Amino acid sequence: MKIAVCVKQVPDTTARKELTDDFRLNRASLDSVLNPFDEYALEEGIRQKEAHEGEVAMVTMGPASAEETMRKGLAMGADRGVLITDSALAGSDIWVTATALAAALRSGGYDLILCGQESADARTGLLPGALAEHLGLPFLSYVQKLDIEGSQLRVRRQLSGGYEVISANLPAVVMVVKAINEPRYPSLKGIMASKRKQVTKLDAGGLGLEPASLGIAGSRTEVVAATPRPAKEPGRMLTEPPSEAAKLIADFLAENKVIA
Amino acid sequence: MDFELSDEQRLIQQTAREFAEAEVAPHAAAFDQRAEFPYEIVSKMAELGLMGLPIPEEFGGAGADTISYALAVEELARADASVAITMAAHVSLGTMPFLLFGTSEQKEKYIPSLASGERLWAFGLTEPNAGSDAGATQTRASLGDGTWVVNGTKSFITNSGTRLTAGVTVTAVTGPSSNGHAEVSNLIIPAETEGFTVAKDYHKMGWRASDTHELAFQDARVPEENLLGERGKGFRQFLTILDGGRISIAALSVGLAQACLDASVKYARERTQFGKPIGSFEGIQFKIAEMATRIEHARLMTYKAAWLKDKGKDFAMAAGMAKLFSSRIATLAADEAVQIHGGYGVMEEYPVARYWRDVKIGEIGEGTSEIQKLVIARMLDL
Ligand SMILES: Cc1cc2nc3c(=O)[nH]c(=O)nc-3n(C[C@H](O)[C@H](O)[C@H](O)COP(=O)(O)OP(=O)(O)OC[C@H]3O[C@@H](n4cnc5c(N)ncnc54)[C@H](O)[C@@H]3O)c2cc1C
Ligand SMILES: Cc1cc2nc3c(=O)[nH]c(=O)nc-3n(C[C@H](O)[C@H](O)[C@H](O)COP(=O)(O)OP(=O)(O)OC[C@H]3O[C@@H](n4cnc5c(N)ncnc54)[C@H](O)[C@@H]3O)c2cc1C
């Protein structure tokens, strides 16, 4: 089975983020990491490979430095990497990102394409669906359990009050949630061996894409304004005696539908 | 000059840190209080590849460099010094002698199960009457009929009595030497050797979850081939082993000092007196700023020593200096950390009490600070 896992390089999740004047994330001063949500997709890919044999390729679109962050995935157990990198891609929106990823994935003959739930920077959660649309493949979102039997996929989709079980034919695009597994640590042997694993670099030309359809030029959305999230309001401190305070808390929880 | 870590080094540091924070730190206080060897953590470290980190891949290790090794020891010590010394002693005192001096049969026989962390190995140099003067070994081994017969006692031997311990390498006098000094050699003593007994664990102030025993040899017999490398080279061999071991203790001390800094900054922000966080008082800020500066200094010395070793350059003096300095500033850091915590610093509920008990051994183990200074002075032709 050939498995592709889409991973994104994101700024260190603990770092303070700033936007440039044209509302793009100022990445220059930030350390980068593998999008933490994608570690779950990668772990699932590796487990499926361990169960069904085959290979796991990581596919990313990003700056040349994304090769470094891919190394963690190679150390966890991915077999190889594909890095789509081209200055023409800077400023790409979801449409363009999905176009470029689809171009790289289409020729790969993958049976299963795994994505994370969202990126830790832009966090739209839209890319996996857009990717499936571009590839014309079934899309299974918010998956918390995944079983493969032959050419059939059975998944549990997380819903707000429970889950539903659906199935699809392979190949398919699957977006996984954190509940699906616990990602492994990259083994130290794996880290040292990752040097020997190959990361193939592709540019727009190599993917047969026209520069005019890429980057800011090709994007169909435009960020027109950005506002910082308003500061969280301070919590309410209860100073009433415990018996009264308990009642107030219970009322509050009921009001907000946490308890019935 | 380039202070950037390589991709592998950074990833190893990151992995060791995540592992230490998630799997080691939460249990450190409990193992310390019970003075219990953390078997489960050691088995997880083995799985991750820590127990054979700098051992070449051909023998089942990860083949990482000394800088990566130092980074890993530092991160472990930041969570728990007992766990860090268990790993560091196993690697640099237990396994390295085979790699550095073993015959190819010895390497193949012993290293793989040690590099995988399935088994542990110890190194026995210190004796009741031979500590700093390690050359004054009283343990004797005589060869007859293809068998070494070993008699003597070893003190304070790390990793010598766990369920995982496969054996210990000991220094012993194997005969008179031509220049009047005794001939010293290293012998490989498997745990199951008859006549070799492991005494009860010591009752320690620090590194309490690490395993330390006195060992006794009474007509302990091992085959002739259990001589490590060449006969009569034991003295040189242990000096070389200790040079590498000093990087371990330096890194361990840096990690402990960092833990003291982390705890101090956190507490200084939280604790309010005179209506303000104590971290807003200059008297506390200065302590913390000095602590951070000393740690940076010690860390640079430690990485430099490791870097020299990786480059194949002479690193003995740099390692001695790094160990001397790092262990000293770590003791100072622990002292200030307790001071910053006030009365709570004396309570075992806060981790700084443990750091304070753990940190002192850095100035004693693998050559005391006084001996480091003698070694450095000797290299300055004094
Ligand atoms: C402040 C801000 C400014 C922006 N500015 C612009 C702009 O000027 N123009 C513009 O067009 N867009 C802009 N974007 C959007 C940006 O291009 C998106 O980050 C990108 O399209 C991917 O979407 P996402 O990060 O929301 O991914 P999500 O949909 O949240 O990610 C879900 C999953 O998709 C996969 N995935 C996502 N990205 C990649 C990737 N690059 N490579 C491989 N797999 C991936 C991963 O598996 C991930 O877990 C901006 C976003 C922000 C927050
Ligand atoms: C927890 C722990 C684990 C250990 N693990 C191991 C191990 O795995 N293997 C092993 O072989 N050993 C181990 N040791 C032993 C350790 O290496 C020795 O304790 C150390 O070398 C000092 O020897 P000593 O205790 O006999 O002190 P001594 O040598 O008796 O020293 C007493 C004091 O005299 C000072 N002194 C001695 N000579 C001089 C001098 N010439 N000039 C100035 N001052 C001097 C010392 O610095 C010290 O302050 C361990 C020790 C501890 C505490």
Side-chain angles (χ1 to χ4, degrees), chain A residues 5-10 18-19 22-25 27 35 37-38 41 59-62 84 90-98 101 114-129 131 174-176 215-216 218-223 226:
Chain A
V5 183
C6 297
V7 300
K8 186 181 185 186
Q9 165 175 279
V10 298
E18 279 167 14
L19 298 184
D22 56 353
F23 306 115
R24 285 162 62 188
L25 192 60
R27 294 170 195 271
N35 178 27
F37 292 97
D38 297 346
V59 182
T60 195
M61 174 177 133
I84 307 167
S92 296
D93 69 356
I94 288 162
W95 173 265
V96 177
T97 306
L101 285 170
L114 292 161
C115 290
Q117 179 182 344
E118 61 182 42
S119 66
D121 52 0
R123 3 184 31 146
T124 66
L126 294 174
L127 188 109
L131 185 60
V174 175
M175 173 221 264
V176 308
I216 296 179
S219 290
R220 304 189 175 191
T221 53
E222 187 189 346
V223 183

Side-chain angles (χ1 to χ4, degrees), chain B residues 13-298:
Chain B
Q13 178 187 44
Q14 213 178 67
T15 305
R17 179 174 301 167
E18 280 170 24
F19 175 83
E21 282 172 1
E23 314 287 345
V24 181
H27 311 289
F31 282 113
D32 170 74
Q33 249 153 52
R34 299 197 298 266
E36 183 185 320
F37 187 78
Y39 283 100
E40 206 178 309
I41 291 175
V42 171
S43 110
K44 285 182 184 168
M45 288 201 286
E47 204 180 306
L48 193 62
L50 280 165
M51 304 305 280
L53 182 55
I55 307 302
E57 286 173 67
E58 58 172 312
F59 296 115
D65 58 12
T66 314
I67 292 183
S68 302
Y69 166 73
L71 291 167
V73 172
E74 178 185 337
E75 292 302 334
L76 289 175
R78 200 171 163 184
D80 186 343
S82 292
V83 168
I85 192 59
T86 299
M87 178 268 205
H90 170 69
V91 170
S92 77
L93 301 181
T95 314
M96 277 299 175
F98 290 111
L99 190 66
L100 292 171
F101 313 115
T103 62
S104 48
E105 294 82 50
Q106 288 168 345
K107 287 181 190 171
E108 264 157 49
K109 179 168 179 193
Y110 295 102
I111 299 178
S113 67
L114 303 180
S116 70
E118 196 188 317
R119 307 301 302 266
L120 294 177
W121 200 273
F123 185 70
L125 172 65
T126 307
E127 298 183 4
N129 296 313
S132 297
D133 186 9
T137 294
Q138 290 175 339
T139 297
R140 298 199 177 261
S142 54
L143 183 64
D145 293 336
T147 304
W148 291 100
V149 182
V150 186
N151 280 287
T153 310
K154 295 286 173 182
S155 318
F156 310 137
I157 308 306
T158 303
N159 286 338
S160 61
T162 75
R163 292 200 300 269
L164 303 173
T165 303
V168 56
T169 303
V170 299
T171 47
V173 174
T174 45
S177 167
S178 48
N179 60 10
H181 287 292
E183 177 196 87
V184 176
S185 308
N186 283 314
L187 291 166
I188 299 165
I189 318 271
E192 63 278 2
T193 303
E194 225 177 289
F196 166 31
T197 46
V198 178
K200 217 168 119 331
D201 206 354
Y202 291 98
H203 184 62
K204 303 195 293 291
M205 159 177 101
W207 296 4
R208 284 168 51 79
S210 76
D211 178 85
T212 325
H213 297 268
E214 184 170 89
L215 309 179
F217 303 91
Q218 278 178 304
D219 290 334
R221 284 161 203 278
V222 293
E224 183 172 4
E225 76 230 25
N226 280 27
L227 178 74
L228 179 71
E230 264 180 79
R231 182 167 178 165
K233 289 282 161 65
F235 197 77
R236 269 265 35 105
Q237 288 176 353
F238 79 66
L239 289 181
T240 305
I241 293 162
L242 290 181
D243 282 341
R246 282 169 189 149
I247 295 176
S248 312
I249 303 295
L252 187 149
S253 299
V254 170
L256 255 177
Q258 181 66 43
C260 293
L261 176 66
D262 297 341
S264 298
V265 169
K266 180 164 181 278
Y267 193 74
R269 285 211 190 108
E270 287 167 6
R271 175 68 174 170
T272 303
Q273 284 295 280
F274 301 99
K276 285 183 199 158
I278 60 168
S280 67
F281 304 133
E282 196 180 75
I284 299 291
Q285 288 177 359
F286 278 19
K287 283 186 201 298
I288 291 177
E290 279 177 15
M291 200 191 289
T293 307
R294 291 194 194 110
I295 292 169
E296 183 63 12
H297 183 169

Side-chain angles (χ1 to χ4, degrees), chain A residues 185 188-189 192 195-196, chain B residues 7-8 23 48 57 60 62:
Chain A
Y185 295 102
L188 303 180
K189 272 192 210 179
M192 298 307 294
K195 258 189 296 200
R196 295 191 290 270
Chain B
D7 290 353
E8 293 88 42
E23 314 287 345
L48 193 62
E57 286 173 67

Side-chain angles (χ1 to χ4, degrees), chain B residues 343-372:
Chain B
Y344 297 98
V346 182
M347 305 299 150
E348 292 286 350
E349 280 79 6
Y350 283 84
V352 290
R354 171 166 52 89
Y355 304 155
W356 195 83
R357 291 185 284 97
D358 278 341
V359 80
K360 187 64 191 169
I361 309 173
E363 294 187 78
I364 296 169
E366 304 199 30
T368 64
S369 290
E370 290 76 11
I371 295 303
Q372 301 309 319

